[in-house]
Amino acid sequence: MANATFKIVVLISGNGSNLQSLIDRKITGKRSQYEITAVISNKSDAHGLERAKAANIPVVVIDHTKHDTRQDFDTELIRVIDLLSPSLIVLAGFMRILTAAFVNHFQKRLINIHPSLLPLYPGTNTHQRALDAGEKQHGVSVHYVTEELDGGPVIARSKVHIDPEDDAESLSKKVLASEHLLYPQVVSWFAQGRIKLKEDKVYLDNKVLPSHGFTLKHTLRA
């Protein structure tokens, strides 16, 4: 993308540690080329809002409890995001189930990060489910958002090893560390124009990726 600025909007509901990783990568990354134009939260007390303010990023609160229906909330969210005209909407711990109208409105411009190696363990409680299944590896995936919960095309993922002494808490910490490396990398690839979605297939540098996406090594940095 030459010298163009790639605008993103980040949606959060809580602590915002993935937001912080995006902020930190923007500060230190020589080729990130993205600008966080706003952080939007459905909760006024989300700590991620303080992270954004500390980085001089505009914040918007759209309180879901002030809207009668999920559709009403999503309609307002669409209106606000459209005013910002981002190239990419990044879900970073946004704890809302989005309506089909919202997902379709931002088709191909909406991504999420999920704490499992998709298609394994969509939904919640992923770490304990992986342990209960006797998995040797676990991890995190970044995917396009579709109407199917955690079912959109996978862009990239990162693996962590499950050790015999791991419990859900220790495994969660491992996965979160991987999230903080993976998400900024993928957003940077979008900013560089390297990611495309064609007929439900994800392309990186014009090469189609396998169904599980690109597997990121923790040492990769571009």
Side-chain angles (χ1 to χ4, degrees):
M1 284 191 60
N3 296 317
T5 299
F6 188 86
K7 296 181 179 180
I8 72 170
V9 168
V10 182
L11 274 55
I12 65 168
S13 294
N15 182 47
S17 68
N18 271 308
L19 166 64
Q20 189 65 57
S21 73
L22 291 165
I23 293 170
D24 292 345
R25 175 63 182 263
K26 175 58 185 170
I27 293 170
T28 61
K30 295 180 180 179
R31 297 177 59 199
S32 294
Q33 293 184 323
Y34 61 80
E35 176 188 354
I36 306 173
T37 59
V39 171
I40 301 175
S41 177
N42 64 308
K43 295 185 177 181
S44 61
D45 61 350
H47 180 64
L49 294 172
E50 300 305 316
R51 296 179 187 270
K53 292 174 185 176
N56 296 314
I57 298 169
V59 301
V60 180
V61 176
I62 305 175
D63 188 342
H64 66 278
T65 66
K66 302 289 177 64
H67 293 79
D68 293 333
T69 67
R70 193 179 301 279
Q71 288 76 15
D72 288 344
F73 173 80
D74 279 11
T75 296
E76 176 63 8
L77 189 56
I78 288 171
R79 185 189 71 81
V80 171
I81 294 174
D82 279 348
L83 289 173
L84 296 165
S85 300
S87 297
L88 189 69
I89 299 97
V90 179
L91 305 183
F94 188 62
M95 304 306 290
R96 296 284 298 171
I97 296 176
L98 297 165
T99 61
F102 184 95
V103 171
N104 291 329
H105 185 81
F106 295 113
Q107 193 176 39
K108 297 185 179 181
R109 289 195 289 149
L110 184 62
I111 64 172
N112 183 45
I113 191 162
H114 181 73
S116 80
L117 297 173
L118 292 173
L120 295 174
Y121 312 118
T124 60
N125 200 29
T126 61
H127 310 307
Q128 189 61 54
R129 289 159 66 194
L131 290 168
D132 291 345
E135 301 283 4
K136 301 300 183 185
Q137 290 185 319
H138 189 41
V140 59
S141 305
V142 176
H143 64 95
Y144 281 97
V145 177
T146 63
E147 293 182 48
E148 181 183 356
L149 179 65
D150 300 325
V154 176
I155 301 164
R157 64 182 187 174
S158 180
K159 297 178 180 179
V160 300
H161 291 289
I162 298 178
D163 296 315
E165 64 272 17
D166 273 326
D167 57 16
E169 182 179 358
S170 64
L171 191 54
S172 172
K173 290 178 181 178
K174 287 182 181 181
V175 171
L176 190 61
S178 288
E179 291 181 28
H180 295 165
L181 294 169
L182 182 66
Y183 221 6
Q185 181 67 72
V186 172
V187 173
S188 293
W189 285 344
F190 272 97
Q192 295 159 16
R194 297 173 62 185
I195 299 288
K196 302 293 181 186
L197 180 65
K198 303 175 185 176
E199 298 179 347
D200 291 329
K201 295 185 186 304
V202 180
Y203 290 76
L204 174 63
D205 297 333
N206 296 315
K207 295 180 181 178
V208 66
L209 293 176
S211 60
H212 55 70
F214 183 91
T215 299
L216 185 80
K217 305 298 183 184
H218 284 186
T219 55
L220 180 60
R221 186 73 180 237

